[in-house]
Amino acid sequence: MRPRVGQMLASTVDTTAVIVVRCPEQELEITCGGAAMAEANGPGPAATGTADPDPGLMGGSLLGKRYAAEDLGLELLCTKQGQGTLAVNGVPMPMKSAKPLPASD
């Protein structure tokens, strides 16, 4: 799939949903729980529980958190949490940490 900014994706193994915040101009395999994610409002498998999850990729995703693959330039915002782990090209995506604010001394 070639993601685009603003695209909504839904998991096919659980309730996870994300919005693409930043993405490169290339084909990527974005998965949740080991199964490919589908466009939330488009063609493809219906979301929430139609695919079999990979038990090794069920670490969960958290509502309101950003997940990023900095080396690829991909960033996703979780809009609905679930039990599946978000991954790109088979590599789990780490949660993006907040940048510290400058001191106001």
Side-chain angles (χ1 to χ4, degrees):
M1 136 187 338
R2 179 170 279 183
R4 62 188 185 285
V5 174
Q7 183 178 24
M8 297 182 352
L9 302 173
S11 173
T12 57
V13 298
D14 66 0
T15 59
T16 303
V18 298
I19 292 178
V20 178
V21 176
R22 189 170 47 112
C23 63
E25 291 292 324
Q26 65 185 26
E27 293 286 325
L28 298 173
E29 182 185 14
I30 301 173
T31 61
C32 181
M37 294 188 82
E39 191 162 356
N41 296 328
T48 56
T50 60
D52 293 325
D54 179 348
L57 292 172
M58 294 303 286
S61 55
L62 299 174
L63 176 67
K65 299 297 181 182
R66 292 176 184 250
Y67 293 84
E70 297 295 338
D71 56 332
L72 294 173
L74 177 68
E75 186 173 326
L76 306 175
L77 172 64
C78 183
T79 58
K80 193 171 183 185
Q81 70 184 23
Q83 296 177 349
T85 298
L86 295 169
V88 61
N89 297 336
V91 179
M93 295 177 69
M95 190 182 323
K96 190 173 180 180
S97 59
K99 294 181 181 177
L101 296 173
S104 61
D105 294 348

